[in-house]
Amino acid sequence: MSGAGVVVSDPWLHSQFTQVELRGMNSKFLSAKNQYGKVTIEDLPPVMVKLKGLSEMFTEAQIKTILGESSSDMSAEIDFESFLRVYVNLLARGRSKLGGSKLKNSVSFLKTSTTTLRHTISESEKASYVSHINSFLGEDRFLKKYLPLDPSTNDLFELAKNGVLLCKLINVAVPGTIDERAINTKGDLNPWERNENHTLCLNSAKAIGCTVVNIGAQDLVEARPHLVMGLISQIIKIQLLANLNLRKTPQLVELVEDSKDVEELLGLPPEKVLLKWMNFQLKKAGYKKEVTNFSSDLKDGEAYANLLNVLAPEHGSASTLDAKDPTERANLIIQHAEKMDCKRYVTPKDIVEGSTNLNLAFVAQIFQQRNGLSVDNEKISFAEMMTDDAQTSREERCFRLWINSLGVDSYVNNVFEDIRAGWVLLEVLDKVSPGSVNWKQASKPPIKMPFRKVENCNQVIRIGKELNFSLVNVAGDDIVQGNKKLILAFLWQLMRFSMLQLLKNLRSRSRGKEITDNDILKWANHKVKSSGRTSQMDSFKDKSLSNGIFFLELLTAVEPRVVNWSVVTKGETDEDKKLNATYIISVARKLGCSIFLLPEDIMEVNQKMILTLTASIMYWSLLNKVGDSESAPVEDSKVADASPSASTDGDKETMSAGRLSNLFVNDSLSETGLSPVIETEEPSPHDENEEPSTEVDNDNPPDKE
């Protein structure tokens, strides 16, 4: 594991890219070398135009003209840093040419309306997040010696460098996500241990719904302020919005009139549910305006004053609405909220200036303290009937998180609702099987005409059949109608196909043989046996796997130092099995595996999730152990053909020359004001001569109901 990553001597230029981006740029730079092993200015246009951030603004001929205007000698050799400067300058020029308008898929570091390209952070947000950390982690056994943090300093970023803080914060947001036995917490961590903590953090963040694709562990080791703030913002948001769904708060059913509206409510992202709740309460107060965002609509404080008066009239005062000065009114609002025991996420200045993130946090805190919803047992029973059973809910969660980890443009909040238009599935298919989608025949949401949704879903089914999925008697309309069994069956085959393609791409292309489930099984058994241990599994349904010992031995076989055997139990009781299962998931994520299963999936030996876990460990091992004797079931593996997208460990990713990670903004969080992050590199394209997998889902998806 390298400690420094790609180094750029100019600090400002270095600050414009994450480590993963720099690796991608370096890979692209190397691919531009001519027959003499040099990169010249005239070699750049065909390389630059392939970057989508530039392809939307320039043609290859235009780039050539621009470079010709700024250089008298097109045959002059350039170095890597000059290559980066050309890229940055072209982006700035393109931005200026478009008049500063928002570019679709514009590059991450174009975050402001100017062309300075500098990252900025909000001091007010930083102060709020520091306060949150001091409040929730002040008594933590490891962190309390460093807390409270001073928001006026850079203590937050210094403390974030060892990875412990971010891991602990994830557990505050979603308790039990990380087994804290897997966090390296000794006083002085070496670079390896810090990197492990950040890899564990990034993979766990994905597993709670954060968008962190293409941020490497090295970026967090360096504690780049805009990346750390963006990640903390997402984690806190997930914590504060955790109860804004019918499963956790069935009383939310009061917001809708009938069953059709309940279905719509199930598909709304939590921040939209929060707005719906706020408007519901404001209507009670007689407030006429509709609040549509957490920024400009809240600046004058009138909505806040009415909301708090209807929820906690005993603390209210007419003087709040009578106040003429917005700052004075905002101050009275905060005083009112504090009497309700709401934490201070905003200052009067934040309200008046319309800080999206902090206003959202404040409204969410008000909801948590007092939601003002009635207890209508009949309606609540109906809401509980509409929510999924535990197994369906677990599978939906897994597929939702997996889709969101791929870096597609759409963000999925509820699989069963969000994929019914077919567009999201087409995006995923294009990601895992590049070129398979005919976008000219696809309709992008919002789609008013139902038959357009059916057309999208028919194309989804057609591509699935081309990929040899088992889709007997399944039609596009089944997806449009929200048939949950068929949707889950399709998504499992899609996820499995993606997983097998990643493994296949690690092998020599001359072999051309497909990876099968049996290859993965044989590899795992061979790996454990060759390490001198005795555990074996008969199949992915082998009930002996429930104690977790086999997977701990497999993890030890691929990386001897990663498992602390002193904390492992024998797995004889359900409690011990759960301890082992929780530890396995965290250790695998710490290693670099991107996985979305739950401890219950291991304890109950869920065949599908056991396969994904084993395949993820195999992928990491083959990717990181070049030259190791891994070839028993899988011949001649070569990292050069790998897509690194399944590993978030920035120091372990290996990119083949000519493959540049996609430097585009993921806009899925833009309306909430969260810091944008960058899409991951696509899996490497199929060889034209390679046939798609003939393996189909062993579980035989159900026929259409």
Side-chain angles (χ1 to χ4, degrees):
M1 229 188 260
S2 71
V6 179
V7 178
V8 178
S9 61
D10 181 340
W12 177 84
L13 189 59
H14 192 180
S15 73
Q16 304 311 306
F17 300 86
T18 68
Q19 270 299 316
V20 178
E21 288 171 346
L22 283 173
R23 283 188 184 81
M25 292 296 280
N26 191 46
S27 173
K28 201 67 176 176
F29 175 73
L30 294 174
S31 77
K33 284 187 176 181
N34 58 30
Q35 58 185 337
Y36 305 108
K38 298 179 179 180
V39 179
T40 65
I41 297 173
E42 64 187 354
D43 295 321
L44 296 184
V47 176
M48 290 289 176
V49 79
K50 289 179 182 176
L51 302 179
K52 290 187 183 177
L54 295 180
S55 66
E56 296 180 350
M57 297 184 278
F58 302 106
T59 63
E60 184 177 331
Q62 288 173 324
I63 292 176
K64 186 174 181 179
T65 300
I66 293 168
L67 295 180
E69 290 171 353
S70 58
S71 174
S72 58
D73 183 6
M74 291 291 284
S75 63
E77 183 180 359
I78 67 166
D79 59 14
F80 178 55
E81 291 195 18
S82 298
F83 178 79
L84 294 179
R85 286 194 181 90
V86 169
Y87 182 55
V88 169
N89 289 336
L90 283 169
L91 285 165
R93 182 160 177 160
R95 179 89 173 184
S96 176
K97 183 176 76 170
L98 294 181
S101 61
K102 183 181 175 184
L103 300 175
K104 183 181 183 293
N105 290 334
S106 57
V107 183
S108 65
F109 42 78
L110 292 177
K111 288 195 175 82
T112 67
S113 58
T114 67
T115 56
T116 60
L117 308 178
R118 293 186 180 276
H119 295 296
T120 58
I121 62 170
S122 161
E123 289 298 323
S124 188
E125 284 188 26
K126 181 175 132 185
S128 182
Y129 300 159
V130 164
S131 174
H132 180 94
I133 289 165
N134 289 340
S135 173
F136 283 93
L137 290 170
E139 296 304 313
D140 180 83
R141 188 163 49 89
F142 176 82
L143 293 174
K144 63 183 179 183
K145 59 188 172 188
Y146 304 105
L147 301 180
L149 296 172
D150 182 350
S152 66
T153 68
N154 283 325
D155 289 353
L156 170 64
F157 306 118
E158 287 302 312
L159 185 55
K161 285 182 178 179
N162 65 17
V164 179
L165 172 66
L166 294 173
C167 286
K168 298 272 189 178
L169 198 58
I170 286 171
N171 269 358
V172 168
V174 184
T177 299
I178 296 176
D179 188 326
E180 298 204 357
R181 295 173 296 174
I183 305 174
N184 299 318
T185 56
K186 70 180 187 184
D188 188 19
L189 300 181
N190 62 40
W192 179 287
E193 291 165 330
R194 285 199 301 272
N195 217 334
E196 282 186 331
N197 280 350
H198 287 303
T199 303
L200 172 59
C201 162
L202 287 170
N203 281 317
S204 300
K206 283 197 286 186
I208 65 170
C210 293
T211 308
V212 297
V213 284
N214 225 27
I215 298 176
Q218 184 63 28
D219 297 310
L220 296 183
V221 169
E222 294 173 8
R224 298 192 172 196
H226 66 288
L227 293 178
V228 172
M229 287 278 287
L231 184 54
I232 290 174
S233 173
Q234 291 187 69
I235 294 169
I236 292 175
K237 176 189 166 195
I238 285 168
Q239 177 186 342
L240 293 175
L241 299 180
N243 293 328
L244 278 146
N245 58 75
L246 285 177
R247 181 175 284 278
K248 294 283 185 67
T249 312
Q251 295 92 334
L252 284 167
V253 75
E254 188 181 347
L255 305 183
V256 297
E257 298 294 330
D258 54 36
S259 59
K260 187 178 180 182
D261 291 334
V262 173
E263 286 186 17
E264 182 187 336
L265 189 64
L266 285 168
L268 286 179
E271 57 268 27
K272 296 288 188 187
V273 176
L274 189 61
L275 281 174
K276 196 173 183 71
W277 166 81
M278 188 175 190
N279 284 310
F280 176 80
Q281 299 296 352
L282 288 173
K283 193 174 179 181
K284 287 184 187 175
Y287 188 68
K288 302 298 183 186
K289 301 176 190 173
E290 182 184 7
V291 176
T292 61
N293 57 62
F294 293 102
S295 181
S296 58
D297 288 359
L298 301 177
K299 284 183 177 181
D300 61 12
E302 289 183 9
Y304 272 133
N306 280 280
L307 177 67
L308 295 177
N309 280 340
V310 79
L311 292 175
E314 70 275 18
H315 301 307
S317 167
S319 60
T320 306
L321 279 170
D322 292 339
K324 301 299 181 188
D325 177 48
T327 303
E328 181 188 348
R329 181 182 294 150
N331 203 33
L332 292 170
I333 286 164
I334 289 170
Q335 291 175 21
H336 190 161
E338 285 180 339
K339 291 174 184 175
M340 296 165 59
D341 293 327
C342 290
K343 294 186 185 301
R344 180 181 278 226
Y345 282 99
V346 291
T347 63
K349 184 169 179 273
D350 298 325
I351 293 176
V352 172
E353 292 183 353
S355 170
T356 301
N357 281 354
L358 299 184
N359 274 316
L360 184 146
F362 187 44
V363 177
Q365 180 67 21
I366 294 169
F367 176 86
Q368 285 187 356
Q369 289 301 113
R370 192 174 301 193
N371 62 39
L373 297 172
S374 62
V375 184
D376 184 331
N377 290 327
E378 187 176 332
K379 272 194 169 185
I380 289 174
S381 297
F382 175 69
E384 289 170 343
M385 282 170 52
M386 292 292 290
T387 55
D388 300 317
D389 61 74
Q391 181 59 38
T392 300
S393 181
R394 266 162 47 189
E395 290 195 41
E396 185 276 337
R397 169 196 168 276
C398 173
F399 295 134
R400 168 169 38 88
L401 294 170
W402 172 66
I403 291 170
N404 288 335
S405 77
L406 295 175
V408 297
D409 287 342
S410 302
Y411 188 86
V412 176
N413 293 286
N414 180 298
V415 163
F416 300 127
E417 294 300 319
D418 293 353
I419 71 167
R420 288 170 65 174
W423 182 266
V424 173
L425 290 176
L426 290 173
E427 286 185 304
V428 175
L429 282 163
D430 194 52
K431 184 69 79 169
V432 304
S433 181
S436 62
V437 177
N438 183 345
W439 290 109
K440 291 181 180 178
Q441 295 179 2
S443 300
K444 186 174 183 179
I447 302 172
K448 294 181 180 179
M449 304 298 289
F451 75 91
R452 295 293 185 195
K453 297 179 183 179
V454 176
E455 285 178 347
N456 281 353
C457 292
N458 282 342
Q459 185 176 181
V460 167
I461 298 300
R462 176 182 60 74
I463 297 169
K465 288 178 178 176
E466 289 172 359
L467 298 177
N468 288 316
F469 292 0
S470 179
L471 297 168
V472 181
N473 294 329
V474 180
D477 193 52
D478 295 307
I479 298 175
V480 177
Q481 297 302 322
N483 185 316
K484 292 182 179 180
K485 287 184 179 179
L486 291 177
I487 288 170
L488 291 176
F490 183 88
L491 285 172
W492 162 241
Q493 293 184 81
L494 187 54
M495 185 180 186
R496 181 175 168 276
F497 172 81
S498 173
M499 181 174 62
L500 296 180
Q501 285 300 115
L502 284 171
L503 289 170
K504 177 183 172 183
N505 288 338
L506 285 179
R507 299 165 59 183
S508 168
R509 290 184 181 275
S510 62
R511 299 278 175 174
K513 184 185 174 187
E514 299 296 332
I515 292 276
T516 66
D517 296 1
N518 198 42
D519 286 332
I520 298 170
L521 181 74
K522 285 181 179 177
W523 173 86
N525 281 329
H526 169 78
K527 196 68 188 165
V528 171
K529 187 176 181 180
S530 65
S531 71
R533 297 182 181 269
T534 58
S535 295
Q536 295 284 280
M537 63 172 165
D538 295 331
S539 71
F540 297 113
K541 296 186 287 188
D542 189 337
K543 292 300 180 186
S544 68
L545 297 173
S546 67
N547 65 16
I549 300 300
F550 176 83
F551 288 110
L552 289 164
E553 293 191 347
L554 178 60
L555 287 162
T556 300
V558 301
E559 179 50 74
R561 61 177 296 283
V562 79
V563 175
N564 177 3
W565 283 94
S566 68
V567 302
V568 174
T569 74
K570 292 181 179 179
E572 293 173 347
T573 66
D574 285 346
E575 184 180 350
D576 285 351
K577 286 178 180 177
K578 184 157 190 178
L579 284 170
N580 282 354
T582 306
Y583 188 56
I584 288 164
I585 292 169
S586 288
V587 168
R589 287 177 179 153
K590 177 179 178 179
L591 199 61
C593 298
S594 183
I595 50 177
F596 305 103
L597 74 168
L598 293 168
E600 290 78 8
D601 293 317
I602 297 175
M603 296 168 65
E604 297 167 12
V605 194
N606 180 320
Q607 180 184 2
K608 295 173 184 176
M609 296 301 108
I610 293 292
L611 172 58
T612 63
L613 173 61
T614 313
S616 295
I617 297 171
M618 179 180 178
Y619 180 85
W620 183 89
S621 179
L622 295 178
L623 188 63
N624 289 273
K625 301 290 184 181
V626 187
D628 197 4
S629 57
E630 305 251 1
S631 57
V634 182
E635 305 91 341
D636 197 19
S637 300
K638 290 187 179 179
V639 171
D641 290 329
S643 158
S645 59
S647 171
T648 56
D649 186 342
D651 286 327
K652 293 181 179 177
E653 291 182 284
T654 305
M655 294 191 181
S656 58
R659 233 176 256 158
L660 177 63
S661 63
N662 294 329
L663 305 176
F664 326 135
V665 165
N666 184 319
D667 286 329
S668 59
L669 298 175
S670 60
E671 66 178 311
T672 65
L674 295 179
S675 299
V677 292
I678 301 137
E679 286 191 8
T680 189
E681 178 180 76
E682 292 185 8
S684 54
H686 309 155
D687 271 3
E688 291 181 2
N689 297 325
E690 289 178 346
E691 294 296 323
S693 171
T694 55
E695 286 285 303
V696 297
D697 182 20
N698 295 332
D699 292 338
N700 295 320
D703 286 347
K704 182 170 65 175
E705 293 183 335

